[in-house]
């Protein structure tokens, strides 16, 4: 039996760290520009990189019009809706750690919606996990309200973002999209870029402060998150290791909160850490697969 490549063994941890720190890095970038301009620069850069890779590697294109539509729709939901409203939530005052916690409900929502969407059978553990996750979220938001009053507009944006990534995941799960990562990213990010154009046109202002911090944050979001992290995720899915990501996903909120403290100076009161622990346990219970017997 061939030995497991080292990069594949480390892939879940690398993906987790890149994804968790991405929340704080995005909030740094938004100090120097607005949400849609940052997304346009991010998506445009990724599309350019993927176009170059496509020209070099010549991967196959989708064979049917339905495949094109599925890839583009998933890209719109995840790139335009999820990232767009996450950035709007940041701009409305939601903390990076709080948003990461709310977004960690995605695998729970997918698990609970799966019976209606893909005929999967979901046990009571997912409902218990959802309950613990909601309890933890209430504790975190309540504890942080003593330092930073919650923005109801920001929470609304976060809810739409959560629906976006959950819907994209369910759509991909339903139709079993399996394409070359360069092709999938090129179409997905292209659809995301097109999807934010109306909002970008309506704002009418594209001011950017090209500081070293902004350039570094943009480079991280493009290379670290959009290229490396997503590339690792697709590689793990192809290798059959997506369960490793689900098992580690419960660590995103505390790591994101730690990153927010290190990068942004966001303070998490003791009760908020208790809430994070409870919510993380809920996500773990909801996403952990039962052992084979």
């Amino acid at each position: 039996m061939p030995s497991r490549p080292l990069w594949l063994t480390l892939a879940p941890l690398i993906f987790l760290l890149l994804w968790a720190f991405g929340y704080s890095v995005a909030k740094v970038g938004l100090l120097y520009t607005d949400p849609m301009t940052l997304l346009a620069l991010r998506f445009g850069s990724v599309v350019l990189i993927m176009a170059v890779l496509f020209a070099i590697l010549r991967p196959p294109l989708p064979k049917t019009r339905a495949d094109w539509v599925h890839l583009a729709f998933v890209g719109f939901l995840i790139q335009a809706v999820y990232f767009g409203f996450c950035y709007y939530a940041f701009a409305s005052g939601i903390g990076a750690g709080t948003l990461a916690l709310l977004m960690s409900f995605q695998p729970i929502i997918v698990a609970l919606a799966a019976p209606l969407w893909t005929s999967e059978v979901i046990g009571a553990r997912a409902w218990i996990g959802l309950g613990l996750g909601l309890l933890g979220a209430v504790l975190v938001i309540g504890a942080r309200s003593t330092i930073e009053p919650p923005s109801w507009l920001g929470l609304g944006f976060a809810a739409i973002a959560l629906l976006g990534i959950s819907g994209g995941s369910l759509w991909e799960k339903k139709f079993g999209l399996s394409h070359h990562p360069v092709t999938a990213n090129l179409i997905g990010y292209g659809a995301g870029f097109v999807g934010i154009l109306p909002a970008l046109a309506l704002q009418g202002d594209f001011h950017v402060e090209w500081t070293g911090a902004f350039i570094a944050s943009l480079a991280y979001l493009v290379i670290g998150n959009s290229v490396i992290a997503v590339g690792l995720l697709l590689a793990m899915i192809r290798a059959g290791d997506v369960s490793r990501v689900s098992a580690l996903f419960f660590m995103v909120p505390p790591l994101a909160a730690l990153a927010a403290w290190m990068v942004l100076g966001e303070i998490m009161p003791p009760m908020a850490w208790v809430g994070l622990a409870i919510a993380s346990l809920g996500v773990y219970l909801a996403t952990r697969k039962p052992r084979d017997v």
Side-chain angles (χ1 to χ4, degrees), residues 11 43 89 132 138 146 165 276 284 293:
F43 292 168
L132 290 175
V138 169
T146 61
I165 192 171
L276 277 174
Y284 174 72
V293 293

Side-chain angles (χ1 to χ4, degrees), residues 11-185:
L13 180 60
I14 296 173
F15 168 81
L16 178 65
L17 291 173
L18 289 173
W19 200 258
F21 272 78
Y23 289 95
S24 294
V25 174
K27 200 163 185 180
V28 170
L30 290 172
L31 296 175
Y32 305 99
T33 189
D34 60 87
M36 289 300 105
T37 301
L38 179 57
L39 275 184
L41 291 171
R42 175 179 178 175
F43 292 168
S45 299
V46 176
V47 169
L48 180 60
I49 292 173
M50 291 299 144
V52 172
L53 291 176
F54 183 87
I56 296 173
L57 300 176
R58 299 288 184 178
L61 289 169
K63 296 181 179 180
T64 67
R65 180 180 299 179
D67 284 348
W68 281 92
V69 172
H70 293 326
L71 283 172
F73 188 57
V74 169
F76 170 77
L77 289 176
I78 294 179
Q79 310 305 337
V81 179
Y82 167 64
F83 283 113
F85 282 96
C86 274
Y87 285 16
Y88 276 138
F90 282 141
S92 300
I94 294 294
T98 302
L99 186 63
L101 171 61
L102 296 174
M103 294 306 106
S104 72
F105 289 168
Q106 179 264 339
I108 300 180
I109 292 177
V110 170
L112 294 177
L116 298 175
W117 190 244
T118 61
S119 301
E120 292 184 9
V121 178
I122 303 299
R125 183 187 295 135
W127 291 104
I128 296 173
L130 177 62
L132 290 175
L134 291 174
L135 174 61
V138 169
L139 290 175
V140 170
I141 294 172
R144 280 191 53 81
S145 67
T146 61
I147 300 173
E148 181 181 77
S151 165
W152 292 108
L153 179 62
L155 291 175
F157 287 148
I160 297 174
L162 181 58
L163 290 176
I165 192 171
S166 300
S169 300
L170 284 167
W171 195 271
E172 186 165 2
K173 190 178 184 72
K174 170 73 172 181
F175 293 100
L177 303 177
S178 179
H179 298 279
H180 192 282
V182 171
T183 302
N185 280 333

